[in-house]
Amino acid sequence: MRRWNGWGDDQVDYPVPDSALDFLEKLVGKGKKQQPIELKDVVKKVQSSKLKHAHGIVLDAGERIKHSYGQSIPDWIEMRIGPLRQITDGIAYPESAEDLVYLLDHAKNNQINLIPYGGGTSVLGHITPLGEKRQNLTVDLQRMRDCIELDEESLLATFEAGITGPDIEAQLRARGYTLGHFPQSFEYSTLGGWIATRSTGQQSKYYGRIDDLFFGGKLISPVGEATVYPFPASAAGPSVKEQILGSEGRLGFITQATVKISPLPEKEEFHAVFFPNWEAGYRAVQEISQQNLQVSMLRYSDPVETETTLILAGHEILIGTLEKLISLRGVKEGKTMLLIGYTGTQADVNFTRNRSLEICRDSEGVHVGRRFGSQWHKNRFRTPYLRNTLWDYGYAIDTLETAVPWSEVNRTMNGIESSIRQAAQEYNEQVHIFTHLSHLYPTGSSIYTTYLFRINDDPVAALEFWRHMKTAASKTIVEHRGTISHQHGVGVDHKRYLVSEKSVLGYRGIKEFIDEFDPLGIMNPGKLLD
Ligand SMILES: Cc1cc2nc3c(=O)[nH]c(=O)nc-3n(C[C@H](O)[C@H](O)[C@H](O)COP(=O)(O)OP(=O)(O)OC[C@H]3O[C@@H](n4cnc5c(N)ncnc54)[C@H](O)[C@@H]3O)c2cc1C
């Protein structure tokens, strides 16, 4: 069963070795063990629903709690320390577009806010019920998950939007295809959620972001339906498809989406290369990106992330041997790790692998083969389970991300890290921070920073401390003219930074577009913008 106040399936654990806990204690201090909270105890304390009984609307308190939180730090603080402030008033599980039209009419007539809910994996408060004035109804799209059409000639597939990653891949793989969209939240996140948040998968260098994969679809808004036909390309003015991408539930419900699919690749490999320092590997990944080599994934970790990954992996003997071997070739303390993926035909994989590894070698890289890369690939959806274990030991992990041109990458990355560190020091706390570059383009790169800190038992103090660090980092991103999000979206936590990214006029345009689709303001209010 899915955990109600953590990540993933409650039968899956991610134990950490004692050596890793010692390592964290030295860095940020000893965490205070957290007591597990039972859902049945929380249920007794929640306020009763303000919604009246209506056909197909579930008012059960446990279901309402489970649908009120995503995976952001404020969500975790409420779910794990409490108290729960505002939970949704009910949940609907539509099975068709007709059900959605019924719900929209019901909401319009009764002044109810509707919150589209895909997999609930948002890390920015996208699905949090807001506003005391109106009742909130969360609309869980999990029953809308059919494959509607597979157009093999055009390499297009149309699905209902509530379908999850594993279900899409199972259906496509049975016919010899893949969508190739693998965010780390793949297990639970949905097609509609990916489009509504402009998600990026781990192999986006080969398959593209969801922006590149989404070709058409249908959206039902409070004032009618919009259809986007899957043209291969179009010069017919501004694009409605672009407005639906990143709409975060504000325009209406994406009911179905037509996406580009690819034949299953003949070959796929993941390799690891170690570099003696950040600059050496940085030169290599920049060159690989600018030569447009068709690698499917690059993940370049800084020295701290490299060390942390190796320690948390727990295979001490294997890693000790590896470290001895690479040290003979000059790769010692301060080393960095690049994971690099190849996908495609055997011939393309051979060519890309040889050329990219040559670039790495020319930049002092030591290629260690496929073992680490294959391990990463095998465990790639398991890593988020670490958040559960570390929280139990008293440590929280948060991530934040941006993208900037190459000329700004190093400055922005260092700026983000030092702003978080400084903000933590102002609270007399230490923070463990590391960064990788994972979506690299010819003109620049995304920057993905992880920070780990001790949890305060008092929820108000815990939230205040996190917000202080998050604000410092977000302001630094804006100062460096980075986007406030390369892949997670805006939700609640980023909305105050949107205007500086879009300009006042652009921001007003987005607001007017939303008002046109939703004049009563009942679709997911308070998310993306006010
Ligand atoms: C452990 C973890 C790892 C992650 N890794 C990645 C990653 O690698 N890449 C990445 O891009 N993101 C990642 N995320 C963030 C998150 O998974 C994405 O934002 C994802 O796209 C959300 O999809 P969802 O179906 O869970 O949507 P939800 O969280 O349910 O909703 C997100 C937003 O989309 C709206 N929405 C959902 N479905 C619809 C619909 N059918 N119509 C209209 N609006 C809709 C909601 O109203 C909400 O505003 C990660 C999150 C976690 C917790």
Side-chain angles (χ1 to χ4, degrees), residues 7 213 215 217 255 351 376 382 392 450 483:
W7 177 253
L213 297 168
F215 271 72
T255 55
F351 171 80
W376 170 84
R382 207 175 144 247
D392 291 344
T450 303
T483 171

Side-chain angles (χ1 to χ4, degrees), residues 188-445:
Y188 295 101
S189 54
T190 63
L191 181 56
W194 296 340
I195 294 165
T197 58
R198 284 188 180 269
S199 154
T200 307
Q202 290 166 337
Q203 285 166 262
S204 69
K205 267 196 92 54
Y206 184 77
Y207 293 108
R209 294 164 57 95
I210 202 68
D211 319 28
D212 307 309
L213 297 168
F214 173 53
F215 271 72
K218 287 193 174 158
L219 177 128
I220 299 186
S221 82
V223 291
E225 185 175 298
T227 301
V228 175
Y229 297 103
F231 310 118
S234 166
S239 155
V240 177
K241 184 179 82 173
E242 275 294 317
Q243 302 283 4
I244 293 175
L245 277 162
S247 55
E248 303 199 349
R250 294 297 310 263
L251 300 180
F253 297 97
I254 300 160
T255 55
Q256 53 177 264
T258 301
V259 285
K260 184 181 93 175
I261 55 173
S262 304
L264 280 170
E266 200 177 300
K267 192 81 193 157
E268 186 151 79
E269 295 174 2
F270 296 89
H271 292 240
V273 179
F274 285 86
F275 293 88
N277 53 56
W278 173 254
E279 292 73 25
Y282 185 88
R283 280 196 303 274
V285 292
Q286 189 178 24
E287 192 174 339
I288 292 169
S289 306
Q290 292 186 332
Q291 286 200 7
N292 280 325
L293 287 173
Q294 276 291 292
V295 294
S296 58
M297 189 203 74
L298 289 169
R299 181 188 165 117
Y300 182 47
S301 301
D302 73 1
V304 180
E305 180 165 300
T306 302
E307 189 189 6
T308 307
T309 308
L310 296 180
I311 288 174
L312 288 178
H315 305 292
E316 282 172 41
I317 298 174
L318 172 73
I319 287 163
T321 313
L322 169 99
E323 288 187 321
K324 268 190 207 131
L325 282 174
I326 59 176
S327 74
L328 296 173
R329 299 182 53 192
V331 177
K332 298 179 184 163
E333 214 165 295
K335 63 182 168 299
T336 55
M337 180 170 71
L338 170 65
L339 295 175
I340 182 162
Y342 307 103
T343 302
T345 63
Q346 179 73 63
D348 284 348
V349 165
N350 287 348
F351 171 80
T352 311
R353 185 187 55 230
N354 294 344
R355 181 69 198 112
S356 58
L357 291 179
E358 195 175 88
I359 291 172
C360 291
R361 251 193 324 273
D362 290 348
S363 202
E364 306 169 72
V366 178
H367 174 218
V368 296
R370 287 163 62 164
R371 186 154 182 175
F372 275 91
S374 304
Q375 268 307 105
W376 170 84
H377 185 242
K378 196 170 123 206
N379 288 325
R380 61 179 168 163
F381 305 128
R382 207 175 144 247
T383 322
Y385 286 85
L386 185 59
R387 290 180 86 189
N388 302 324
T389 319
L390 290 180
W391 192 285
D392 291 344
Y393 282 108
Y395 301 106
I397 308 181
D398 194 22
T399 59
L400 52 86
E401 32 87 46
T402 179
V404 286
W406 281 112
S407 52
E408 282 297 325
V409 170
N410 278 319
R411 260 197 298 269
T412 310
M413 174 179 151
N414 294 334
I416 293 170
E417 289 201 356
S418 39
S419 62
I420 297 176
R421 204 170 282 117
Q422 165 78 31
Q425 272 164 13
E426 284 158 15
Y427 277 68
N428 291 323
E429 284 290 325
Q430 299 300 315
V431 64
H432 182 48
I433 311 180
F434 43 88
T435 297
H436 65 248
L437 310 182
S438 53
H439 301 278
L440 296 92
Y441 305 89
T443 57
S445 174

Side-chain angles (χ1 to χ4, degrees), residues 37-188:
I37 302 181
E38 300 280 337
L39 180 60
K40 63 177 172 25
D41 297 329
V42 182
V43 161
K44 291 178 200 150
K45 295 184 201 152
V46 301
Q47 76 268 29
S48 53
S49 171
K50 289 180 274 166
L51 275 175
K52 292 196 200 82
H53 278 276
H55 173 68
I57 294 177
V58 176
L59 304 180
D60 172 76
E63 285 303 297
R64 286 165 51 217
I65 294 170
K66 287 183 194 166
H67 282 84
S68 298
Y69 297 95
Q71 294 290 320
S72 70
I73 291 288
D75 289 334
W76 272 62
I77 290 173
E78 276 201 39
M79 290 188 293
R80 293 239 171 177
I81 315 178
L84 303 192
R85 279 190 293 272
Q86 187 183 358
I87 66 163
T88 191
D89 292 291
I91 307 107
Y93 296 93
E95 296 184 4
S96 63
E98 291 71 36
D99 288 353
L100 285 171
V101 172
Y102 164 79
L103 286 169
L104 280 161
D105 285 342
H106 181 67
K108 279 190 288 187
N109 293 335
N110 295 284
Q111 293 281 305
I112 297 170
N113 291 334
L114 297 176
I115 306 174
Y117 183 102
T121 66
S122 152
V123 283
L124 295 165
H126 284 101
I127 49 161
T128 310
L130 297 175
E132 303 274 334
K133 286 195 196 120
R134 287 188 193 157
Q135 300 135 17
N136 290 293
L137 176 61
T138 299
V139 182
D140 183 334
L141 293 149
Q142 62 169 281
R143 293 188 188 157
M144 294 180 64
R145 54 164 187 260
D146 283 347
C147 179
I148 297 168
E149 193 187 352
L150 183 62
D151 175 355
E152 295 185 74
E153 188 179 356
S154 314
L155 288 178
L156 290 171
T158 304
F159 293 98
E160 288 186 302
I163 189 167
T164 60
D167 283 353
I168 291 180
E169 284 302 318
Q171 298 210 33
L172 289 179
R173 274 160 200 257
R175 305 286 292 270
Y177 297 100
T178 177
L179 175 61
H181 189 71
F182 303 112
Q184 204 182 34
S185 55
F186 175 77
E187 251 185 293
Y188 295 101

